[in-house]
């Protein structure tokens, strides 16, 4: 498995496993541990979480599984996120979903994540979404404290646009290590708004979530997804691979920003296909056909 | 009153008084002087003007009042603006409203402002709107001359977007001290276009005009203002304050870019409320409820 | 003729001749050579080409003409472009139009251009359009190799937005010398998207193609072009010039970014008019009236 260096002392496996939907899989801790070990045998050692996944439960499920085999932790790179306050039956007094990046809240959520994941350090903590009331002094204070106390090794962001990254970065001593954004053949907004260019320029390697576009590229749901899937099938045939998800991963992996796709599947076969996609090499023409199918209009 | 440091040797009072509508108040010079002194007793020492306000008359009215008590000038920080050529009965030959940033015109308008305001220096001169034909060499020449001659101490801009600021700044020896833009719970465009982030990143502290959105947040005129005002009332009640404008000022003051709201009211009671809003502290949740009411859709 | 310095050792004539439509003019090589010499007598020494113009034929027509008088080459500055793969009867296997910036393809196209133009060096090679799959490492490799081998002296881009330029520039040792974009009173998108500001900020002097908007400003085809042409006529009268294209060139030449208009006409009289426009000086008011006619709404 290719490793991607994000900072001195930090490497991600090129393919990342996403633990957002663990709750839906209804695995007990033993089953989840076995699944995690299968994933790691494929060379994937980086796992993506968030405080809020599964209505604040997923991290705990992962932690319960890891508690069965604590020595696994050192071989893993654990990413989690904080900042979103979701509407939840656990916090019935909340009136809206909002984001909280006060130093106090960032630290509280990071410490919750440590407890839930049954670990004493997070490899990377991401701010989950940009906020218009984010105070960069508070963020810098929280990051500094968490780092000094050994609770979090590195920091990054998620869903940030270029100006969000640039504003926050100006207040931090250390470089943000990644921006986790939605990228798929269906979702090309970050190509259109300059964010991919910003990633390239700043060597800010993006993690890509929803590479299959929430299933829309598995089962098309609209004209756009139909257009894309048709081209994915053509190219799968040209490459001699049986499944279109291989082509999707190859499309992501081809981009010069060094996209690290997050595969959130609960099926080992699908995860294996994303790993094997690393052997495929799309031509520029094939990459562009998928991009043009997404745009819906020819390139000028 | 909190002071905001904008440069070595330049501080604004956190709340600024705007003198755009002086003409409408029908005060004589003695009354206007008394009003200005009442404002200054509240701790407000920074006053915002422009050459064109009141069809080129407001500066003169201020100057007439100040002439009655010249020693007041040293206790004041005076901001004015230049660059817009409005359609006016005073210049009947003009065919359109346009912006003029030739060195010659900037200097002429600054010198007019000195005469009108009966002062021998302006604390800050702002370019009133970005222009697509602004020549930064000409602006740099005018700024340099006005500074060397002691006529203007500092320079800034108004209504500029981030790329407008960045392009002009590249040609100037000294940092622009502020960008005066429209910000209110009703008008959040500068959050959406990256300008607030740019202010944060560059520590370019914004002055905010129209904080009450031209009265729309006093008397709602559309669905959007109704949505916002409803939330302002809820939060006023939560904070135990009688008037929603206090909440609006608290909302502006909470932002990490250090917004300096311009209160353009002719009623001392309203100005007092904006000063007292400095004691309020919105929670992140309250700030966000107002922001979401303005967006009209929940945060993702 | 004014010369524009783009880099140490590189100057363009302020007006550039565009050789995109040579095929349509049905000149033989002798006629084309004579035409080029007429153009050069006007002081224009910079010529704009692209691999794809005339379905991959225009460069060859120019080369055939130059072969009749090889000593002309040293007095010329030749610009050409690469990267677009057009759908063409010459490459019937292509499924879509796309852009290819692999090092191998850039070098291949540059070498084709050298053969077609019958020259052993290009003064400037431009990447024809930004591409979402452009790998800046590959571009840097190709540029380095072409420069070291003496095949291309300088490099630039075309149709790039500010974030496209900024991302690529971060990987190059030498500054891109120009961005060739569409600018005309009809086409003001690059004012609106921040690209003109970026050119000013970075001193990246733009070449402007389609200054007459593909003839729309000669014969109006819609309400917008009618609005603009009406104002162009008024201003032509104010300036005492018989033709509106003089006003258009004067409008381009007035901008502080130092726009270098590309005149692609096959008629020497029209080219002469663009050269003579350099003597005109629009006022800021006149420039703005044309801009406002294009916007269709008054300036705020």
């Amino acid at each position: 498995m290719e490793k991607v260096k994000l900072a001195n002392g930090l490497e991600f496996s090129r393919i990342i496993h996403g633990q957002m939907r663990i709750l839906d899989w209804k695995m007990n801790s033993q089953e989840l541990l076995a699944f995690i070990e299968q994933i790691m045998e494929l060379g994937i050692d980086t796992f993506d979480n968030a405080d809020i996944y599964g209505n604040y439960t997923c991290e705990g499920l992962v932690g319960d599984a890891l508690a069965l085999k604590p020595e696994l932790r050192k071989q893993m790179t654990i990413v989690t996120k904080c900042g979103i306050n979701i509407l939840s039956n656990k916090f019935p007094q909340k009136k809206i979903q909002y984001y909280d990046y006060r130093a106090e809240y960032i630290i509280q959520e990071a410490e919750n994540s440590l407890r839930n994941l049954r670990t004493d350090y997070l490899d990377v903590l991401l701010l989950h979404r940009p906020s218009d009331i984010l105070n960069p002094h508070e963020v810098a204070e929280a990051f500094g404290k968490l780092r000094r106390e050994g609770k979090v090794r590195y920091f990054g962001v998620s869903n940030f646009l270029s100006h969000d990254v640039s504003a926050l970065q100006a207040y931090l001593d250390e470089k943000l290590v990644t921006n986790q954004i939605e990228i798929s053949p269906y979702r090309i907004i970050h190509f259109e708004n300059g964010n991919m260019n910003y990633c390239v320029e700043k060597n800010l390697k993006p993690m890509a979530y929803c590479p299959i576009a929430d299933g829309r590229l598995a089962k098309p749901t609209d004209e756009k997804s139909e257009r894309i899937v048709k081209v994915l099938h053509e190219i799968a045939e040209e490459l001699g691979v049986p499944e279109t998800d291989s082509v999707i991963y190859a499309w992501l992996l081809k981009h010069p920003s060094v996209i690290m796709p997050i595969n959130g599947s609960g099926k080992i076969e699908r995860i294996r296909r994303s790993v094997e996609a690393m052997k495929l090499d799309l031509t520029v023409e094939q990459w562009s056909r998928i991009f043009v199918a997404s745009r819906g209009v020819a390139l000028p």
Side-chain angles (χ1 to χ4, degrees), chain A:
Chain A
M1 167 69 67
E2 179 191 341
K3 293 284 203 161
V4 179
K5 182 176 174 179
L6 298 187
N8 285 329
L10 180 69
E11 286 188 340
F12 280 9
S13 53
R14 185 69 191 264
I15 305 289
I16 293 162
H17 188 252
Q19 302 183 314
M20 185 168 77
R21 299 227 167 76
I22 285 184
L23 185 63
D24 305 338
W25 301 340
K26 317 236 178 265
M27 297 178 179
N28 63 31
S29 297
Q30 200 62 60
E31 289 165 337
L32 182 55
L33 174 64
F35 185 55
I36 289 172
E37 290 191 284
Q38 280 187 294
I39 292 169
M40 292 181 77
E41 279 161 25
L42 294 174
I44 295 173
D45 65 10
T46 306
F47 294 86
D48 181 62
N49 299 274
D51 53 354
I52 57 171
Y53 288 165
N55 191 20
Y56 297 95
T57 66
C58 286
E59 285 183 334
L61 296 175
V62 173
D64 291 346
L66 293 186
L68 300 176
K69 194 169 178 183
E71 63 271 30
L72 219 53
R73 173 66 184 96
K74 285 192 298 277
Q75 303 164 44
M76 299 170 81
T77 299
I78 295 185
V79 180
T80 195
K81 315 185 194 78
C82 69
I84 303 183
N85 268 269
I86 56 169
L87 290 172
S88 160
N89 53 359
K90 302 195 173 179
F91 303 98
Q93 77 289 4
K94 280 184 197 161
K95 294 182 178 167
I96 56 161
Q97 169 156 324
Y98 69 99
Y99 315 138
D100 191 346
Y101 294 114
R102 288 171 303 130
E104 181 188 336
Y105 187 74
I106 293 170
I107 292 167
Q108 168 198 305
E109 287 304 286
E111 291 177 347
N112 276 346
S113 293
L114 291 176
R115 269 189 298 277
N116 291 333
L117 290 161
R118 312 270 192 103
T119 181
D120 51 7
Y121 68 98
L122 302 169
D123 292 288
V124 182
L125 179 67
L126 308 181
L127 304 188
H128 207 149
R129 285 194 173 273
S131 165
D132 291 286
I133 191 62
L134 179 153
N135 186 322
H137 297 290
E138 296 253 336
V139 172
E141 179 192 330
F143 284 7
K145 187 163 191 293
L146 290 166
R147 184 185 284 118
R148 283 191 306 275
E149 294 179 355
K151 290 173 179 165
V152 182
R153 298 175 63 228
Y154 299 92
F155 299 90
V157 292
S158 183
N159 296 298
F160 272 44
L161 297 182
S162 58
H163 53 75
D164 298 311
V165 177
S166 191
L168 176 57
Q169 185 66 70
Y171 289 80
L172 303 177
D173 291 334
E174 310 219 359
K175 193 167 177 289
L176 295 162
V177 297
T178 188
N179 187 7
Q180 180 178 131
I181 52 184
E182 186 177 355
I183 320 174
S184 75
Y186 189 84
R187 180 79 169 164
I188 58 172
I189 180 77
H190 293 290
F191 292 92
E192 295 167 338
N193 64 19
N195 214 5
M196 298 309 299
N197 267 332
Y198 184 81
C199 287
V200 167
E201 177 177 346
K202 301 299 183 184
N203 192 21
L204 180 69
K205 298 182 183 98
M207 304 166 75
Y209 70 87
C210 287
I212 316 296
D214 271 328
R216 269 191 216 91
L217 297 180
K219 290 192 189 175
T221 56
D222 58 8
E223 210 182 297
K224 179 178 172 182
S225 46
E226 280 170 12
R227 264 196 328 260
I228 300 168
V229 169
K230 184 170 173 286
V231 173
L232 292 173
H233 274 293
E234 290 170 16
I235 295 175
E237 203 176 316
E238 292 165 21
L239 296 170
V241 296
E243 303 284 351
T244 53
D245 54 357
S246 312
V247 181
I248 292 170
Y249 283 99
W251 187 85
L252 290 166
L253 294 166
K254 174 85 177 174
H255 194 265
S257 63
V258 191
I259 293 170
M260 298 168 289
I262 303 172
N263 188 324
S265 177
K267 299 190 178 155
I268 197 68
E269 208 34 62
R270 290 201 177 175
I271 299 172
R272 191 187 313 277
R273 278 210 297 278
S274 61
V275 173
E276 288 175 356
M278 294 178 68
K279 295 179 205 150
L280 298 177
D281 187 17
L282 297 188
T283 64
V284 171
E285 192 261 5
Q286 288 167 328
W287 195 95
S288 303
R289 278 157 62 200
I290 294 168
F291 191 78
V292 167
S294 186
R295 285 166 49 98
V297 289
L299 292 170

